[in-house]
Amino acid sequence: MTAKRTPQQIRDDRNARRRAQRLTERRSRMAKHAAFDLVSYGPWTNGIPDATPTRVASRATDLYSSYLKGDDITTAEGDTALRYVLQTRGLPISHLDQQPTATAA
């Protein structure tokens, strides 16, 4: 038989889930801001912005380093944000799938 959880434990668990969700949303907003900046004001080649997920992650980390406190925006978060911004602006995202990937040596 499992021990019954107290109302305080239930509240603590619920609050922890809410904090984690807010953190995820906050990091997403940071990455989207950086992606928007790079797409709007960064260089373009042949009608396609030169922004990459790595550049988005780096830019977001640069913009928000004091808030992130060493927990930098990841390339995966940068990729998600860049795809979102490109889609909302009606720009193609197919070039992101053609990015060269690092190979194991």
Side-chain angles (χ1 to χ4, degrees), residues 50-53 82 94-101:
D50 290 341
T52 64
L82 183 56
S94 57
H95 68 284
L96 294 177
D97 297 328
Q98 299 167 4
Q99 296 285 334
T101 57

Side-chain angles (χ1 to χ4, degrees), residues 1-20:
M1 188 166 128
T2 61
K4 188 171 180 180
R5 294 177 32 183
T6 66
Q8 183 62 40
Q9 289 172 325
I10 293 170
R11 254 190 316 276
D12 290 345
D13 290 345
R14 184 177 56 235
N15 288 339
R17 284 191 308 272
R18 288 177 179 166
R19 276 192 303 277

Side-chain angles (χ1 to χ4, degrees), residues 41-60:
Y41 307 112
W44 288 52
T45 304
N46 297 327
I48 298 174
D50 290 341
T52 64
T54 304
R55 286 183 184 166
V56 170
S58 176
R59 176 78 173 137

Side-chain angles (χ1 to χ4, degrees), residues 55-82:
R55 286 183 184 166
V56 170
S58 176
R59 176 78 173 137
T61 299
D62 291 345
L63 286 170
Y64 294 102
S65 60
S66 62
Y67 295 105
L68 295 170
K69 296 181 173 118
D71 188 18
D72 297 347
I73 300 293
T74 65
T75 304
E77 290 169 319
D79 183 59
T80 302
L82 183 56

